[in-house]
Amino acid sequence: MGMTRRALLGSAVAVAAGAGTSAAADAGSAEIPLLWREFSRTPFTHPQIPYIGRAGFRGGAAHFPRRPAVADVRDFGAMAGGTTDSAPAINRAIAAVGRAGGGTVTVPPGTFRIDDIIRVNRSNVTLKGAGSGRTTLYATKNLTELIGVYGSRYGGDKSGWSWAGGLIWLAPEVRWNSLVAAIRAKAWPFEGWTGNGRDEWRTLTKVAPARQGSWTVTVSDPSRLRPGTLVLLRLADDPDHTLLEHMCGGGPGPETYVWDDKTKLTSYVPYEWPVRIARVRGRQVTLERPLPLDVRPEWDPRLTTHVPELTGSGVEGLTLEAVETPQQPHLLDKGHNGVVLQCAYDCWVDDVTVRHVDNGFGLVAASACTLRRTRVTGRGAHHPYFCREGSHDNLVEDFTIDERTSPAPSGTQLHGINVEGLSSYNVWSRGDMQAGTFDSHRGLPFANVRTDITLNNNGRHGGDASAGPLFGARFTHWNIRVTNARAGLVRIDGLAPYSATVGIDEVREFEQIDVPDFAGDLHTRLELYGSPHAVRPRNLHAAQRAL
């Protein structure tokens, strides 16, 4: 006998609320916030909480593909022991497996020296070590040495390696080649889905008006759309910046905000959202995720092509260790960076540790990817995790940022779990942050969730004033245990419009005190302040998955 939607929602609430009942016995009676009851009734259109139940690889799949082992890196010349550069052999193995149509490249236990970047540049390829405690790639060089100086497209003397690039770099081959060529030519590129000049796209079809939360859109011409195809939904802003206002929830505050001088922010527009087509029936197109925003005529909505994506690839079971060098002054990183996913969709990283890095794990124009059981450890990182350049629908779960093993040099910065650049619907879940903070670098990130995280809040957030607001609408912090009682962008009910702070420890301001970007009523919600151990469901992402 079938269940009604109301019964299904009631069952999901009961399951979510019941999770962790043994802990509740120690922490006191559990409480289900009013916000959760509201959300359960309108999960795709709630004004303060985003729907993130489909975040991550293949909609948040519990398991990653187990492809047959096709190549062992030793067969291509890799040697453990740290005396031989194994990067060429590992890259040859990845290329060979990619040419063969995909499979697993195995790296056995031991330490393998790499003097170059490991490039996972073919779809459906898994680079798999024997476990993060058994297989180590020891990186002897940084990205400045390997590729060259990387400046900022916004000017100044900053190093682009402070927020881009990895010594393990997952990106489609053609896109990676074009990025490297531009950097070496000192033609600092855009890094996203439509090329270095944001001009590598063509229109597939115009899209009729639709509302945020809809899974179906009506198109003018479905002839070039096929189920399973990845497309971009492209939304341009209008002269009155109503798209940016909509990302902030609308209303008097965003309407009176001065947008025109926020040149870094406006350079991020158009908003480009990658999504797979699930079904085409006449002019009705069903998407694999609900619309992140309204689709309005004044934003010239269309589905477009993009640079070919990397898809179905992953890195598992290894440690990437960089040469231990002192952390560089802020924004002058040399590029001892960890693992970066770029122009990647439905890719993953699992059981991977990075040690002694400038920047740990990065999502750059990456969407629908999962980072699971990842750890940043060693001498301390600038950005342990960064999520930027229009990265959407990603899931970072079971992650750890260790306390640094050496003191921070003067002039350096520690951020934490960063999100910026119109990135939306990303989730950080089940984290142990012994260092860092909840970092927004401005650039109007919106509809992102941090949930079920323990935080020693000792970092600082960043962001240039020209990048605009710290937050857009529907940011949610849910069940956050702050061990040192410092605020630092954890309690956001006075900062983020149309957002929610639920079940966090009591916190106090410190020397980095922020003021809201928007005047007037922010329409934010605060529940169970001071009671993170009582909130049910404990994990907002898991509870949404249950819906």
PDB file of all heavy atoms in Angstrom, residues 107-110 128-137 316-319 350-353 373:
ATOM      1  N   VAL A 107      47.884   2.440  -6.677  1.00  0.00           N
ATOM      2  CA  VAL A 107      49.183   2.847  -6.140  1.00  0.00           C
ATOM      3  C   VAL A 107      49.390   2.037  -4.867  1.00  0.00           C
ATOM      4  O   VAL A 107      48.634   2.193  -3.900  1.00  0.00           O
ATOM      5  CB  VAL A 107      49.225   4.352  -5.830  1.00  0.00           C
ATOM      6  CG1 VAL A 107      50.645   4.786  -5.485  1.00  0.00           C
ATOM      7  CG2 VAL A 107      48.690   5.177  -6.992  1.00  0.00           C
ATOM      8  N   PRO A 108      50.371   1.156  -4.818  1.00  0.00           N
ATOM      9  CA  PRO A 108      50.525   0.251  -3.670  1.00  0.00           C
ATOM     10  C   PRO A 108      51.030   0.997  -2.440  1.00  0.00           C
ATOM     11  O   PRO A 108      51.360   2.184  -2.491  1.00  0.00           O
ATOM     12  CB  PRO A 108      51.543  -0.761  -4.178  1.00  0.00           C
ATOM     13  CG  PRO A 108      52.333  -0.015  -5.190  1.00  0.00           C
ATOM     14  CD  PRO A 108      51.376   0.925  -5.852  1.00  0.00           C
ATOM     15  N   PRO A 109      51.107   0.296  -1.306  1.00  0.00           N
ATOM     16  CA  PRO A 109      51.665   0.932  -0.108  1.00  0.00           C
ATOM     17  C   PRO A 109      53.096   1.402  -0.348  1.00  0.00           C
ATOM     18  O   PRO A 109      53.836   0.842  -1.165  1.00  0.00           O
ATOM     19  CB  PRO A 109      51.622  -0.191   0.934  1.00  0.00           C
ATOM     20  CG  PRO A 109      50.565  -1.127   0.449  1.00  0.00           C
ATOM     21  CD  PRO A 109      50.641  -1.075  -1.049  1.00  0.00           C
ATOM     22  N   GLY A 110      53.476   2.456   0.370  1.00  0.00           N
ATOM     23  CA  GLY A 110      54.814   3.007   0.252  1.00  0.00           C
ATOM     24  C   GLY A 110      54.766   4.497   0.010  1.00  0.00           C
ATOM     25  O   GLY A 110      53.696   5.107  -0.107  1.00  0.00           O
ATOM     26  N   LYS A 128      43.760   5.182  -7.037  1.00  0.00           N
ATOM     27  CA  LYS A 128      43.464   4.549  -5.753  1.00  0.00           C
ATOM     28  C   LYS A 128      44.725   4.042  -5.082  1.00  0.00           C
ATOM     29  O   LYS A 128      45.409   3.165  -5.594  1.00  0.00           O
ATOM     30  CB  LYS A 128      42.487   3.391  -5.965  1.00  0.00           C
ATOM     31  CG  LYS A 128      42.008   2.715  -4.683  1.00  0.00           C
ATOM     32  CD  LYS A 128      41.001   1.626  -5.002  1.00  0.00           C
ATOM     33  CE  LYS A 128      40.523   0.909  -3.744  1.00  0.00           C
ATOM     34  NZ  LYS A 128      39.799   1.814  -2.835  1.00  0.00           N
ATOM     35  N   GLY A 129      45.015   4.616  -3.907  1.00  0.00           N
ATOM     36  CA  GLY A 129      46.087   4.101  -3.085  1.00  0.00           C
ATOM     37  C   GLY A 129      45.592   2.993  -2.175  1.00  0.00           C
ATOM     38  O   GLY A 129      44.423   2.584  -2.213  1.00  0.00           O
ATOM     39  N   ALA A 130      46.468   2.535  -1.310  1.00  0.00           N
ATOM     40  CA  ALA A 130      46.133   1.436  -0.397  1.00  0.00           C
ATOM     41  C   ALA A 130      45.518   1.937   0.900  1.00  0.00           C
ATOM     42  O   ALA A 130      45.223   1.142   1.793  1.00  0.00           O
ATOM     43  CB  ALA A 130      47.390   0.621  -0.097  1.00  0.00           C
ATOM     44  N   GLY A 131      45.292   3.236   1.012  1.00  0.00           N
ATOM     45  CA  GLY A 131      44.745   3.854   2.220  1.00  0.00           C
ATOM     46  C   GLY A 131      45.586   5.053   2.589  1.00  0.00           C
ATOM     47  O   GLY A 131      46.798   5.094   2.325  1.00  0.00           O
ATOM     48  N   SER A 132      44.934   6.044   3.206  1.00  0.00           N
ATOM     49  CA  SER A 132      45.669   7.275   3.513  1.00  0.00           C
ATOM     50  C   SER A 132      46.795   7.054   4.514  1.00  0.00           C
ATOM     51  O   SER A 132      47.726   7.870   4.583  1.00  0.00           O
ATOM     52  CB  SER A 132      44.707   8.337   4.043  1.00  0.00           C
ATOM     53  OG  SER A 132      44.042   7.884   5.212  1.00  0.00           O
ATOM     54  N   GLY A 133      46.739   5.971   5.268  1.00  0.00           N
ATOM     55  CA  GLY A 133      47.818   5.662   6.192  1.00  0.00           C
ATOM     56  C   GLY A 133      48.880   4.748   5.617  1.00  0.00           C
ATOM     57  O   GLY A 133      49.851   4.423   6.310  1.00  0.00           O
ATOM     58  N   ARG A 134      48.733   4.346   4.354  1.00  0.00           N
ATOM     59  CA  ARG A 134      49.660   3.366   3.774  1.00  0.00           C
ATOM     60  C   ARG A 134      50.343   3.853   2.497  1.00  0.00           C
ATOM     61  O   ARG A 134      51.475   3.439   2.215  1.00  0.00           O
ATOM     62  CB  ARG A 134      48.914   2.063   3.473  1.00  0.00           C
ATOM     63  CG  ARG A 134      48.246   1.431   4.687  1.00  0.00           C
ATOM     64  CD  ARG A 134      47.564   0.134   4.311  1.00  0.00           C
ATOM     65  NE  ARG A 134      48.546  -0.880   3.926  1.00  0.00           N
ATOM     66  CZ  ARG A 134      48.277  -1.950   3.192  1.00  0.00           C
ATOM     67  NH1 ARG A 134      47.046  -2.149   2.739  1.00  0.00           N
ATOM     68  NH2 ARG A 134      49.211  -2.817   2.894  1.00  0.00           N
ATOM     69  N   THR A 135      49.660   4.684   1.712  1.00  0.00           N
ATOM     70  CA  THR A 135      50.236   5.177   0.454  1.00  0.00           C
ATOM     71  C   THR A 135      50.445   6.677   0.562  1.00  0.00           C
ATOM     72  O   THR A 135      49.509   7.413   0.889  1.00  0.00           O
ATOM     73  CB  THR A 135      49.305   4.881  -0.736  1.00  0.00           C
ATOM     74  OG1 THR A 135      49.157   3.472  -0.889  1.00  0.00           O
ATOM     75  CG2 THR A 135      49.865   5.481  -2.018  1.00  0.00           C
ATOM     76  N   THR A 136      51.663   7.135   0.282  1.00  0.00           N
ATOM     77  CA  THR A 136      51.990   8.560   0.331  1.00  0.00           C
ATOM     78  C   THR A 136      52.617   8.993  -0.979  1.00  0.00           C
ATOM     79  O   THR A 136      53.520   8.319  -1.503  1.00  0.00           O
ATOM     80  CB  THR A 136      52.962   8.863   1.487  1.00  0.00           C
ATOM     81  OG1 THR A 136      52.321   8.568   2.732  1.00  0.00           O
ATOM     82  CG2 THR A 136      53.382  10.324   1.482  1.00  0.00           C
ATOM     83  N   LEU A 137      52.117  10.106  -1.507  1.00  0.00           N
ATOM     84  CA  LEU A 137      52.785  10.794  -2.610  1.00  0.00           C
ATOM     85  C   LEU A 137      53.510  11.989  -2.003  1.00  0.00           C
ATOM     86  O   LEU A 137      52.875  12.879  -1.413  1.00  0.00           O
ATOM     87  CB  LEU A 137      51.768  11.258  -3.661  1.00  0.00           C
ATOM     88  CG  LEU A 137      50.870  10.177  -4.267  1.00  0.00           C
ATOM     89  CD1 LEU A 137      49.976  10.777  -5.354  1.00  0.00           C
ATOM     90  CD2 LEU A 137      51.687   9.020  -4.831  1.00  0.00           C
ATOM     91  N   GLU A 316      41.377   8.234  -4.232  1.00  0.00           N
ATOM     92  CA  GLU A 316      41.052   7.528  -3.005  1.00  0.00           C
ATOM     93  C   GLU A 316      42.312   6.993  -2.323  1.00  0.00           C
ATOM     94  O   GLU A 316      43.294   6.645  -2.982  1.00  0.00           O
ATOM     95  CB  GLU A 316      40.145   6.322  -3.290  1.00  0.00           C
ATOM     96  CG  GLU A 316      38.840   6.641  -3.966  1.00  0.00           C
ATOM     97  CD  GLU A 316      38.001   5.390  -4.219  1.00  0.00           C
ATOM     98  OE1 GLU A 316      38.459   4.284  -3.854  1.00  0.00           O
ATOM     99  OE2 GLU A 316      36.909   5.517  -4.784  1.00  0.00           O
ATOM    100  N   GLY A 317      42.257   6.920  -1.001  1.00  0.00           N
ATOM    101  CA  GLY A 317      43.171   6.083  -0.236  1.00  0.00           C
ATOM    102  C   GLY A 317      44.632   6.462  -0.312  1.00  0.00           C
ATOM    103  O   GLY A 317      45.475   5.579  -0.491  1.00  0.00           O
ATOM    104  N   LEU A 318      44.953   7.754  -0.117  1.00  0.00           N
ATOM    105  CA  LEU A 318      46.363   8.138  -0.132  1.00  0.00           C
ATOM    106  C   LEU A 318      46.562   9.430   0.657  1.00  0.00           C
ATOM    107  O   LEU A 318      45.615  10.146   0.976  1.00  0.00           O
ATOM    108  CB  LEU A 318      46.880   8.286  -1.565  1.00  0.00           C
ATOM    109  CG  LEU A 318      46.165   9.246  -2.515  1.00  0.00           C
ATOM    110  CD1 LEU A 318      46.630  10.695  -2.338  1.00  0.00           C
ATOM    111  CD2 LEU A 318      46.379   8.821  -3.959  1.00  0.00           C
ATOM    112  N   THR A 319      47.816   9.697   0.960  1.00  0.00           N
ATOM    113  CA  THR A 319      48.236  10.965   1.557  1.00  0.00           C
ATOM    114  C   THR A 319      49.117  11.702   0.566  1.00  0.00           C
ATOM    115  O   THR A 319      50.020  11.100  -0.034  1.00  0.00           O
ATOM    116  CB  THR A 319      49.009  10.735   2.867  1.00  0.00           C
ATOM    117  OG1 THR A 319      48.095  10.284   3.868  1.00  0.00           O
ATOM    118  CG2 THR A 319      49.679  12.003   3.357  1.00  0.00           C
ATOM    119  N   ASP A 350      38.036  10.470  -1.614  1.00  0.00           N
ATOM    120  CA  ASP A 350      37.662   9.674  -0.444  1.00  0.00           C
ATOM    121  C   ASP A 350      38.915   9.149   0.247  1.00  0.00           C
ATOM    122  O   ASP A 350      39.826   8.633  -0.411  1.00  0.00           O
ATOM    123  CB  ASP A 350      36.773   8.501  -0.884  1.00  0.00           C
ATOM    124  CG  ASP A 350      36.277   7.672   0.298  1.00  0.00           C
ATOM    125  OD1 ASP A 350      36.142   8.227   1.402  1.00  0.00           O
ATOM    126  OD2 ASP A 350      36.026   6.469   0.111  1.00  0.00           O
ATOM    127  N   ASP A 351      38.959   9.285   1.570  1.00  0.00           N
ATOM    128  CA  ASP A 351      40.077   8.801   2.384  1.00  0.00           C
ATOM    129  C   ASP A 351      41.396   9.357   1.866  1.00  0.00           C
ATOM    130  O   ASP A 351      42.311   8.624   1.509  1.00  0.00           O
ATOM    131  CB  ASP A 351      40.108   7.268   2.409  1.00  0.00           C
ATOM    132  CG  ASP A 351      41.225   6.726   3.292  1.00  0.00           C
ATOM    133  OD1 ASP A 351      41.616   7.410   4.256  1.00  0.00           O
ATOM    134  OD2 ASP A 351      41.721   5.618   2.996  1.00  0.00           O
ATOM    135  N   VAL A 352      41.470  10.690   1.829  1.00  0.00           N
ATOM    136  CA  VAL A 352      42.680  11.368   1.376  1.00  0.00           C
ATOM    137  C   VAL A 352      43.086  12.401   2.429  1.00  0.00           C
ATOM    138  O   VAL A 352      42.260  13.178   2.905  1.00  0.00           O
ATOM    139  CB  VAL A 352      42.472  12.054   0.013  1.00  0.00           C
ATOM    140  CG1 VAL A 352      43.672  12.923  -0.356  1.00  0.00           C
ATOM    141  CG2 VAL A 352      42.231  10.997  -1.074  1.00  0.00           C
ATOM    142  N   THR A 353      44.364  12.393   2.774  1.00  0.00           N
ATOM    143  CA  THR A 353      44.959  13.358   3.703  1.00  0.00           C
ATOM    144  C   THR A 353      45.959  14.212   2.949  1.00  0.00           C
ATOM    145  O   THR A 353      46.685  13.702   2.080  1.00  0.00           O
ATOM    146  CB  THR A 353      45.660  12.623   4.859  1.00  0.00           C
ATOM    147  OG1 THR A 353      44.686  11.936   5.649  1.00  0.00           O
ATOM    148  CG2 THR A 353      46.441  13.576   5.745  1.00  0.00           C
ATOM    149  N   ARG A 373      35.801  11.818   4.067  1.00  0.00           N
ATOM    150  CA  ARG A 373      36.929  11.319   4.883  1.00  0.00           C
ATOM    151  C   ARG A 373      38.236  11.969   4.445  1.00  0.00           C
ATOM    152  O   ARG A 373      39.233  11.297   4.188  1.00  0.00           O
ATOM    153  CB  ARG A 373      37.025   9.803   4.804  1.00  0.00           C
ATOM    154  CG  ARG A 373      35.792   9.072   5.342  1.00  0.00           C
ATOM    155  CD  ARG A 373      36.041   7.573   5.441  1.00  0.00           C
ATOM    156  NE  ARG A 373      36.346   6.985   4.148  1.00  0.00           N
ATOM    157  CZ  ARG A 373      36.878   5.779   3.971  1.00  0.00           C
ATOM    158  NH1 ARG A 373      37.208   5.042   5.025  1.00  0.00           N
ATOM    159  NH2 ARG A 373      37.089   5.309   2.756  1.00  0.00           N
TER     160      ARG A 373
END
